Amino acid sequence: MSQLETSTVQQPRLPFWQVWNVSLGFLGVQFGFSLQNANASRILSDLGADLHSLSLFWIVAPLMGLIVQPIVGSASDRTWSRFGRRNPFILFGAIAAALGMAFMPNAGIVVAIVAPIIFGGVMLALMDAAFNVTMQPFRALVSDMVPSEQRTLGYSVQSLLINIGAIFGSMLPFILTNVIGLENTSRAGEVAPSVIWAFYIGATVLLGSVLWTVMRTKEYPPEQYNAYKGIDTQKQQQERERKGSLLQRLTGFFRLMLNMPRTMRQLALVQFFSWFALFIMWVYTTPAITQHVWGVEAKWFDPAYLDSIGEIPAHIAAAKGAAGDWVGIIFAAYSLFAAIFSIALARLAQVIGRKLIYALSLALGGLGYISFLLFQGGEPTQVNLLITEVSVPSGALGLLLPMVGVGIAWAAILAMPYAILSDALPADKTGVYMGIFNFTIAAPQIISALLAGLILKSVFDNQAIYIIVLAGVSMLLGAFSVFFVRESAEAEPELETGTVF
């Protein structure tokens, strides 16, 4: 066996701009993902979904992650082609996501073939599946290309780019309405023109940024990668040749799950409370502020009531449109605060420790959600957003303050779990373990999807502001859970290996 196969070679440090290029595609992925997060509930409501069932439509997002990411992670671990290891999956997922983004807001045009709400739900599922095909290899790509000593920098840069994409993706419908002049109101069963065009633009940005990463990032060939990661090439090849039956591969996969690193198991509890809260925010912020700040009663989110009266009154449609646009602004705000905080995150983690900065960040996010209660209605206030001026209730303007805490929490959630986890994973199983780690993201969202609508209807009488407060409590529990995580890779038990998929 050659020296290259048996010993670890020092992986070279990357110039900053190469670290940037590795993650740039995530800007476009998050641009599209943020458009979905800020507008999917708005689109589904316009297409006929009632308030408490919104979370059930959103369940497709974590379900797609649960199914797709481990499979893609395992497949990308075993893929070596002239196009790269992770790049083919990243590009394919981006193309599929762009198609979903183009079709979803146009659900109304297929009414003669299928109910728009069903078509919209299917396109949401397609987008989520495609986003997951793209996202998992992107995270593994950072681990592949960036040496251990630059790993926190790598994930912090990724977090910065994610939030830049999220800022502009979230704001785009607002810009198209208030700067370009597109209509932001919709008729029953249709989607506002500003949202439709925002999705077209988002699909273009997604494809462009992903192509930049794919074309600018040359992945290491197998022999060089194995040398950098200390992987025994001959042993790896023997494992791949023992492909085994589907049952054997599934058994190997579940064995990996059962023997996951201790750090991953401990992070799972933090992830549960964090993503339970985030899911609620994405699904219910639009109805929450429409009711609490713009004063629109819950009955205006009930399809049966809307059917009984026929046409939606102009002032209600205008209020719902304005609130929907403002959700894009406050989502852009938390992404902006997250982007700013992510610049300092790596340094703060070095100074006070990963765990402490992670816990403090989640706590600030939890307090931000709870403080939504403080901002209700108010007098119309002129707001200068540099690109345009708008009039909103003073309570809407006040919501920018809680977004500081939410943004800080979001930056930490995007970077710290992966920075902590990546040092605890075997290099030849990074992709599949990153995919398995997505279970800790998907599972709490599935639980939230099943419970949040029921809680909203049965406990909070469809007053969506209180489900946001519940999200804050969950995030505070996540902050407390961080202190149970052990970072030491040396404390990890030896991991069982085997053929997976």
Side-chain angles (χ1 to χ4, degrees):
M1 194 178 297
S2 69
Q3 181 70 17
L4 186 62
E5 292 174 314
T6 59
S7 62
T8 302
V9 177
Q10 181 67 37
Q11 184 172 352
R13 292 175 63 88
L14 297 182
F16 173 80
W17 289 112
Q18 187 54 43
V19 176
W20 179 275
N21 287 338
V22 167
S23 292
L24 184 67
F26 233 128
L27 182 150
V29 175
Q30 192 63 33
F31 192 104
F33 197 55
S34 295
L35 272 171
Q36 174 187 296
N37 285 345
N39 294 283
S41 288
R42 180 180 181 178
I43 291 172
L44 292 169
S45 292
D46 288 341
L47 295 176
D50 58 40
L51 194 60
H52 62 271
S53 68
L54 281 177
S55 63
L56 296 178
F57 281 97
W58 276 77
I59 202 172
V60 298
L63 278 177
M64 290 300 104
L66 198 63
I67 296 168
V68 171
Q69 288 214 19
I71 296 174
V72 171
S74 176
S76 68
D77 278 344
R78 297 181 291 106
T79 297
W80 298 98
S81 71
R82 64 191 182 95
F83 301 107
R85 188 185 193 195
R86 317 291 183 184
N87 283 340
F89 295 91
I90 292 170
L91 183 58
F92 172 78
I95 292 170
L99 290 174
M101 291 183 69
F103 286 123
M104 182 183 177
N106 288 295
I109 67 176
V110 298
V111 65
I113 304 171
V114 64
I117 187 63
I118 296 176
F119 184 82
V122 170
M123 288 301 101
L124 180 61
L126 171 63
M127 279 194 299
D128 279 308
F131 282 138
N132 278 287
V133 169
T134 302
M135 284 181 178
Q136 195 287 326
F138 252 124
R139 295 205 183 278
L141 185 66
V142 173
S143 181
D144 289 351
M145 300 300 298
V146 180
S148 179
E149 65 270 19
Q150 289 184 293
R151 202 70 54 74
T152 300
L153 171 65
Y155 284 115
S156 295
V157 168
Q158 191 176 89
S159 177
L160 172 64
L161 289 168
I162 284 171
N163 286 296
I164 291 174
I167 291 167
F168 290 100
S170 298
M171 290 181 63
L172 189 55
F174 177 91
I175 293 171
L176 292 177
T177 295
N178 294 280
V179 178
I180 306 300
L182 294 181
E183 184 63 48
N184 71 342
T185 58
S186 62
R187 291 179 293 180
E190 296 182 2
V191 176
S194 62
V195 176
I196 294 174
W197 278 99
F199 272 62
Y200 291 161
I201 295 169
T204 304
V205 172
L206 169 61
L207 282 177
S209 63
V210 165
L211 281 171
W212 180 276
T213 285
V214 169
M215 295 175 67
R216 294 278 181 165
T217 302
K218 180 176 175 56
E219 297 184 73
Y220 297 122
E223 297 79 7
Q224 191 175 10
Y225 177 84
N226 289 343
Y228 290 154
K229 304 301 183 181
I231 298 171
D232 188 323
T233 304
Q234 186 176 22
K235 181 179 178 182
Q236 184 186 60
Q237 185 61 34
Q238 290 172 349
E239 287 183 358
R240 287 177 178 165
E241 289 173 355
R242 297 195 304 268
K243 188 172 183 180
S245 65
L246 177 61
L247 179 60
Q248 289 172 323
R249 283 179 280 160
L250 287 172
T251 301
F253 173 74
F254 285 111
R255 185 182 297 117
L256 283 174
M257 285 193 64
L258 292 173
N259 291 279
M260 70 173 65
R262 180 180 297 132
T263 299
M264 184 185 290
R265 293 197 301 270
Q266 293 165 341
L267 281 170
L269 183 62
V270 184
Q271 292 281 89
F272 176 86
F273 290 120
S274 302
W275 287 93
F276 187 93
L278 288 169
F279 186 85
I280 288 174
M281 176 186 73
W282 291 325
V283 176
Y284 287 114
T285 296
T286 297
I289 74 166
T290 304
Q291 295 172 359
H292 195 65
V293 179
W294 266 265
V296 176
E297 295 177 84
K299 66 182 181 181
W300 294 107
F301 291 88
D302 182 355
Y305 178 76
L306 296 179
D307 288 342
S308 71
I309 65 168
E311 192 73 18
I312 301 174
H315 72 284
I316 296 295
K320 292 177 75 172
D325 284 348
W326 195 252
V327 169
I329 293 298
I330 64 173
F331 276 21
Y334 89 69
S335 298
L336 174 61
F337 297 135
I340 294 170
F341 183 67
S342 66
I343 297 171
L345 183 58
R347 179 58 179 164
L348 288 171
Q350 290 176 347
V351 173
I352 68 175
R354 290 168 169 173
K355 285 172 56 176
L356 183 56
I357 193 62
Y358 190 15
L360 290 174
S361 299
L362 295 182
L364 288 173
L367 293 174
Y369 286 138
I370 293 171
S371 68
F372 268 48
L373 272 174
L374 303 177
F375 304 99
Q376 182 175 16
E379 295 298 318
T381 304
Q382 284 294 121
V383 182
N384 186 341
L385 295 173
L386 300 181
I387 56 175
T388 187
E389 286 192 12
V390 294
S391 178
V392 296
S394 58
L397 183 60
L399 285 174
L400 294 173
L401 184 59
M403 291 298 108
V404 176
V406 173
I408 289 172
W410 178 235
I413 289 167
L414 290 176
M416 298 315 301
Y418 299 97
I420 293 170
L421 180 63
S422 60
D423 289 335
L425 298 180
D428 61 335
K429 295 287 188 293
T430 296
V432 68
Y433 267 123
M434 285 293 188
I436 290 172
F437 190 58
N438 190 62
F439 279 53
T440 69
I441 296 174
Q445 292 185 76
I446 291 170
I447 294 171
S448 184
L450 293 173
L451 295 180
L454 181 64
I455 294 171
L456 177 62
K457 183 178 181 179
S458 303
V459 179
F460 299 137
D461 194 27
N462 282 332
Q463 299 302 309
I465 190 65
Y466 297 110
I467 204 76
I468 300 296
V469 174
L470 179 64
V473 174
S474 180
M475 193 71 83
L476 290 176
L477 291 172
F480 179 72
S481 303
V482 172
F483 295 104
F484 295 96
V485 176
R486 294 179 61 183
E487 291 189 74
S488 175
E490 290 78 13
E492 303 294 346
E494 184 177 352
L495 299 172
E496 294 188 33
T497 59
T499 302
V500 182
F501 296 118

